[in-house]
Amino acid sequence: MKEKYYITTAIAYASSKPHFGNTYEIIMTDAVARYKRLRGYDVYFCTGTDEHGQKIEEKAVNAGITPKQYVDNISSEVRGVWDKMNTTYDYFIRTTDENHEKAVQKIFKKMYDKGDIYLGEYEGWYCTPDEAFFTDSQVVDGKCPECGRPVYKMKEKSYFFKMSKYADKLMEYYDAHPDFIEPEARKKEMINNFIKPGLQDLCVSRTSFKWGIPVDFDPEHVVYVWLDALTNYITALGYDPDLDYEHQSEHFKKNWPADVHIIGKDITRFHSIYWPIFLMSLDLPLPKKIFAHPWFIAGMDKMSKSRGNVIYADGLADKIGVDAVRYYALSEMPYLNDGVVTYENVIAKFNIDLANNLGNLVNRTVAMTKKYFGGVIPTPADETELDRDLKDTFTNAAAKYAENMDSFHIADAVSEIFTALRRANKYIDETTPWALAKDEANKPRLGTVLYNLLEAIRI
């Protein structure tokens, strides 16, 4: 049997069309999924849309349609972009799916019956765009510390999850699994900013809006965003809250725990603190890794519709092709720091790497193979030092590529490939096949050169 590999993106919030920065995540996750399949893993790749919440309810009212109609439109648009990017996901979950909603209601009741959820009252500052609450000390000049937009004071009855009950157990897990959160800097942020100061109990229901999954034993409340959204990773596998782990479906037991959740750095707290604690409450194994990637910024700023600096991946693909968009996304996002996307950078990268390096190499090699050998791959003859150097370059690049892909240093993996391709172009200049072709006595050497170039391209 192949070894399984369960990989997910965060589910996209169905409030608006995804921009280039949002789309990076599905492209990166797809690249890892494809890589793992090539390495022989049985990959299960999930993505989807997060479709409840106050922001969506408000947008639907403004559009003059129902929330369900609104999310149907946006979810279809998200899926359209994901498909246009040639991503190979196995399952696309929507949090309005009936099986997900029923499972979330049972999960909420299970946690309530266990004593992990209790009814209380919340008073604090609320940011509608981020669907998040903040304390007086966190709010900066009446604005959200995350997005900088205005917050408002809110008081309502809510159900709360006892986060503090599991804080010590979570730290023990961090200590026992030092690679659980990557990059390492993100883990330090979680420990220093949230766990050490003391975990606050988490609001998990709302009464001030209706677009959500009703709490079945108290229908005045709807399940609040993170308990609804995060559980998609197990409901997508058919998790049944009425059964313990050993009695779940074979599909669930085969794939859970997740091998990696690929997420944006802005939601690290929810995935590396709240999500593991929810799983502890459900007596389920924790995911093996949370990888929090940086953002793509447009020029000097985070992409934002209000700033008018949004670039869309599908629009770019119409101009330069899907593979070129995927290539830019994968090659230009650093492991830790934010990447930059501008139209000028995309075109420059396209010309330098794809046209002049890869394209030029393939074009010259194929043209010479057709011209000198009728399009038939020649048989190599004796090997020279130049040939061995080319082979070593590609052998080493393949090993370093795998090492980087396994540790999610995606841009570094891409860099290894293009460094090797530059070496192959230099090999053409060093061996001068057009000069060799002038003398029939050099035909075996010419065949060796072209064979080596074709093999380099294949690799």
Side-chain angles (χ1 to χ4, degrees):
M1 270 178 64
K2 288 182 175 181
E3 187 178 346
K4 71 90 182 175
Y5 194 83
Y6 180 35
I7 184 170
T8 72
T9 67
I11 50 176
Y13 194 47
S15 61
S16 58
K17 178 182 173 178
H19 55 59
F20 188 91
N22 307 135
T23 310
Y24 166 74
E25 187 170 300
I26 189 77
I27 293 172
M28 178 204 165
T29 308
D30 181 63
V32 176
R34 287 168 178 262
Y35 163 73
K36 289 295 181 181
R37 290 190 199 107
L38 285 169
R39 297 301 297 265
Y41 286 84
D42 183 3
V43 172
Y44 198 69
F45 171 14
C46 282
T47 187
T49 42
D50 172 13
E51 302 184 13
H52 295 121
Q54 185 174 358
K55 181 159 68 168
I56 286 170
E57 188 174 82
E58 290 175 0
K59 282 180 173 278
V61 168
N62 292 337
I65 55 178
T66 67
K68 184 61 166 67
Q69 288 171 321
Y70 186 88
V71 295
D72 283 350
N73 292 338
I74 298 296
S75 183
S76 175
E77 200 165 25
V78 170
R79 191 163 188 165
V81 175
W82 283 194
D83 290 344
K84 186 163 186 172
M85 292 299 110
N86 289 337
T87 58
T88 57
Y89 56 85
D90 295 290
Y91 189 75
F92 189 99
I93 189 170
R94 298 181 57 186
T95 56
T96 52
D97 290 342
E98 186 181 358
N99 63 320
H100 174 78
E101 292 192 341
K102 286 183 175 176
V104 167
Q105 287 181 318
K106 288 182 177 182
I107 287 168
F108 194 98
K109 182 69 162 57
K110 188 171 186 173
M111 291 172 169
Y112 178 78
D113 290 344
K114 192 173 181 177
D116 288 346
I117 289 178
Y118 65 92
L119 184 61
E121 189 170 69
Y122 187 85
E123 183 172 12
W125 298 99
Y126 183 66
C127 173
T128 301
D130 282 348
E131 303 257 11
F133 293 100
F134 298 98
T135 63
D136 288 338
S137 61
Q138 290 173 313
V139 170
V140 182
D141 298 325
K143 292 181 179 173
C144 170
E146 300 280 357
C147 71
R149 283 171 282 204
V151 293
Y152 65 91
K153 202 68 175 251
M154 200 188 69
K155 184 176 182 179
E156 67 176 307
K157 278 192 172 180
S158 298
Y159 283 94
F160 289 85
F161 189 99
K162 295 178 182 176
M163 285 285 148
S164 53
K165 175 179 172 181
Y166 293 93
D168 290 345
K169 193 174 177 183
L170 182 63
M171 273 306 303
E172 288 170 13
Y173 189 83
Y174 282 6
D175 292 340
H177 302 83
D179 298 330
F180 176 56
I181 305 169
E182 289 188 359
E184 174 75 14
R186 307 266 185 260
K187 181 170 81 173
K188 289 178 179 174
E189 287 171 14
M190 295 306 106
I191 293 170
N192 294 331
N193 296 350
F194 300 104
I195 297 177
K196 281 187 177 175
L199 285 180
Q200 303 293 311
D201 287 352
L202 179 69
C203 174
V204 289
S205 80
R206 299 289 303 281
T207 58
S208 55
F209 62 90
K210 293 298 175 192
W211 181 238
I213 300 170
V215 175
D216 57 357
F217 60 87
D218 192 350
E220 183 187 348
H221 294 255
V222 294
V223 179
Y224 187 43
V225 57
W226 290 108
L227 189 55
D228 172 9
L230 290 165
T231 51
N232 92 86
Y233 302 126
I234 52 176
T235 64
L237 299 176
Y239 171 68
D240 185 344
D242 292 334
L243 304 175
D244 61 22
Y245 181 73
E246 289 307 315
H247 293 92
Q248 296 292 329
S249 69
E250 289 306 312
H251 181 59
F252 180 85
K253 286 192 292 183
K254 172 188 168 184
N255 287 292
W256 192 259
D259 290 87
V260 63
H261 295 312
I262 306 283
I263 62 164
K265 65 178 182 179
D266 51 325
I267 52 174
T268 308
R269 170 171 45 130
F270 309 106
H271 283 78
S272 63
I273 297 177
Y274 300 165
W275 180 224
I277 286 177
F278 290 161
L279 290 165
M280 288 173 182
S281 177
L282 295 171
D283 297 314
L284 290 176
L286 272 54
K288 295 176 185 176
K289 190 178 296 295
I290 310 291
F291 182 79
H293 62 76
W295 289 331
F296 259 114
I297 58 176
M300 299 301 291
D301 293 312
K302 182 187 175 187
M303 247 177 257
S304 160
K305 286 174 186 157
S306 60
R307 291 192 182 108
N309 65 349
V310 172
I311 295 173
Y312 293 99
D314 55 332
L316 263 182
D318 290 337
K319 294 179 174 65
I320 63 170
V322 172
D323 282 345
V325 172
R326 287 173 60 103
Y327 172 69
Y328 186 87
L330 296 170
S331 63
E332 285 298 302
M333 177 68 90
Y335 176 73
L336 184 60
N337 301 315
D338 292 335
V340 176
V341 57
T342 65
Y343 288 109
E344 295 78 11
N345 287 0
V346 171
I347 298 304
K349 190 85 175 170
F350 179 96
N351 288 333
I352 294 166
D353 289 357
L354 298 182
N356 297 342
N357 189 351
L358 174 62
N360 193 34
L361 173 66
V362 173
N363 188 51
R364 289 202 287 174
T365 303
V366 171
M368 288 189 289
T369 305
K370 285 179 178 176
K371 184 175 181 180
Y372 303 136
F373 291 91
V376 177
I377 298 172
T379 303
D382 294 339
E383 194 176 72
T384 69
E385 192 59 42
L386 274 178
D387 304 333
R388 281 190 289 276
D389 184 63
L390 182 71
K391 287 182 180 181
D392 288 345
T393 297
F394 275 79
T395 302
N396 292 335
K400 288 176 183 174
Y401 166 83
E403 186 181 316
N404 281 313
M405 288 298 290
D406 285 336
S407 61
F408 306 104
H409 287 74
I410 310 297
D412 293 327
V414 173
S415 180
E416 291 295 339
I417 296 167
F418 278 78
T419 298
L421 292 175
R422 282 191 291 275
R423 178 69 192 89
N425 273 310
K426 186 183 176 188
Y427 176 82
I428 294 179
D429 298 333
E430 290 168 335
T431 55
T432 60
W434 53 87
L436 292 171
K438 291 176 181 176
D439 186 344
E440 188 64 26
N442 291 329
K443 193 93 175 201
R445 178 62 190 151
L446 177 62
T448 300
V449 168
L450 291 176
Y451 172 85
N452 286 338
L453 288 166
L454 290 164
E455 181 67 354
I457 291 167
R458 183 189 72 79
I459 292 168

